[in-house]
Amino acid sequence: MEPLSKTSYVILGMLSKSPKTGYDIKSLVDVSTRFFWAASYGQIYPELKRLESAGLVAGSDDATGGRQRRLYEITAAGREVLHQWLTAGAPLHFELRHEGLLRFFFADAVGRDEQIGLLRSIGAEHGRVRDQLRDEIRPHALAGSEESGAEFPLHTVEFGIAYQEFIVDWCERMERRLAKTAKTANRS
Amino acid sequence: MEPLSKTSYVILGMLSKSPKTGYDIKSLVDVSTRFFWAASYGQIYPELKRLESAGLVAGSDDATGGRQRRLYEITAAGREVLHQWLTAGAPLHFELRHEGLLRFFFADAVGRDEQIGLLRSIGAEHGRVRDQLRDEIRPHALAGSEESGAEFPLHTVEFGIAYQEFIVDWCERMERRLAKTAKTANRS
DNA sequence: GCTCACATGTAATCCGTTACATGATTCT
DNA sequence: AGAATCATGTAACGGATTACATGTGAGC
């Protein structure tokens, strides 16, 4: 069996706690793993079908009246591959794409004002994400933790908050440093 | 004109300093922007052609003997769109995909030993990247800085080092925290 | 003579997003 | 009555990686 995509482990992981619809999974991802592993309907629904034909999840129709609803639950085989992935020694995929940093890299070509403006927008954006994690995602993780005893989703959000905060702080420090050594603009 | 991909800005940015071959660009990316914006030959060569037909770069054959070599330089129009991007108010694309964190999120399903082992591999991996930035990329940026006066590539590497270090530290703190509250394994 | 760096490209494939299409139920 | 939420899916597209294919020149 060819190896599963990382996103299918998100699905398996979410289903390992309780049965869910594709919609449920997407909603959950949006308030939890999204910041380090996003997923869209365009991935989730087809992936659920693939996982079902691979015997890792089992779907059952669960329509209420005229509204269609397909509830998936993880199978024993699914639990097995999830556990395998969770304990594997394989290299962990890590990827960052940061347009702000890319611009910053080339920022010698613009004036001090633009350099500082760039740092402000980068900092502001990461500040917004930090706020969102703190005010929306963290309470959600906290509730889940009290209800199920799971502590790692909470640890993960807390890492996220500290991570965003680190970038915000760095932007502020760099901004101050640049402000001190004001310099005339050097267009291209 | 449809908007350029971020990767084409990497190319334009690299060419804005001096003319280069596709090979040169790839080599440079690999010792500079790679950690927050990677690029492969499969993107660079086709993109150079597109940029040329859009009039943003100009290529000239520069073969030495039998070895083909095509040198590209940025045009005035190319400088213009680069500068536009560098000073635009557009939202900055940011994306993180972190398999280690994803596993960590689901780590309630494994035992303490595996949880700690996971933190160790995450920390070790980020430590390796930090070392690479410090020992290989930073000297390179420093040399470039002394030669051309460009300071932002250096600032960017320094951010990278601090960023990787932040994650390493966090892993160590979390590891210690988990070690203190040892717990029996709870399979799935 | 061999290996490594220089040099260019393409095709297959993967992973993922966005936009579209459709409809039921619940809340205000 | 209308809006928001629940619910499922697909098609088109975009961005990027990997593997493949090919060959030169320089240094040991």
Side-chain angles (χ1 to χ4, degrees), chain A residues 85-131:
Chain A
W85 171 71
L86 243 22
T87 55
L92 299 164
H93 177 87
F94 167 76
E95 195 189 329
L96 176 65
R97 293 221 168 235
H98 198 303
E99 191 183 355
L101 231 34
L102 186 58
R103 275 207 209 170
F104 188 74
F105 181 86
F106 293 117
D108 282 295
V110 300
R112 258 299 180 272
D113 293 349
E114 279 101 336
Q115 291 165 355
I116 289 173
L118 173 61
L119 281 171
R120 290 225 176 111
S121 10
I122 297 174
E125 184 55 37
H126 285 286
R128 270 191 293 279
V129 177
R130 173 206 53 198
D131 294 347

Side-chain angles (χ1 to χ4, degrees), chain A residues 19 22-23 26 51-52 58 63 78 83 87 104 117 121 135 139-140 144 147 151 154 157-158 160:
Chain A
Y23 184 86
K26 164 70 170 153
L51 289 171
E52 182 164 32
H83 195 264
T87 55
F104 188 74
S121 10
D135 305 334
H140 190 276
E147 180 201 301
E151 51 181 357
L154 191 54
V157 196
E158 267 156 12

Side-chain angles (χ1 to χ4, degrees), chain B residues 4-78:
Chain B
L4 300 175
S5 71
K6 314 302 174 196
T7 299
S8 45
Y9 293 113
V10 179
I11 295 175
L12 288 176
M14 293 300 183
L15 292 183
S16 75
K17 303 177 183 188
S18 67
K20 284 170 185 69
T21 65
Y23 184 86
D24 291 337
I25 294 170
K26 165 71 170 151
S27 310
L28 246 179
V29 164
D30 282 348
V31 294
S32 58
T33 69
R34 162 160 74 104
F35 300 93
F36 49 90
W37 209 283
S40 63
Y41 288 126
Q43 282 176 277
I44 291 168
Y45 284 114
E47 194 59 44
L48 277 169
K49 291 190 174 177
R50 275 190 291 270
L51 289 172
E52 182 164 31
S53 55
L56 305 179
V57 305
S60 54
D61 281 316
D62 185 39
T64 324
R67 183 196 276 178
Q68 59 177 325
R69 186 167 198 269
R70 192 161 174 84
L71 201 64
Y72 289 91
E73 57 185 317
I74 195 167
T75 64

Side-chain angles (χ1 to χ4, degrees), chain A residues 15 19-26 45 48 69-72:
Chain A
L15 292 182
K20 285 170 185 67
T21 65
Y23 184 86
D24 290 338
I25 293 170
K26 164 70 170 153
Y45 284 116
L48 277 168
R69 187 166 196 270
R70 194 162 173 83
L71 201 64
Y72 289 91

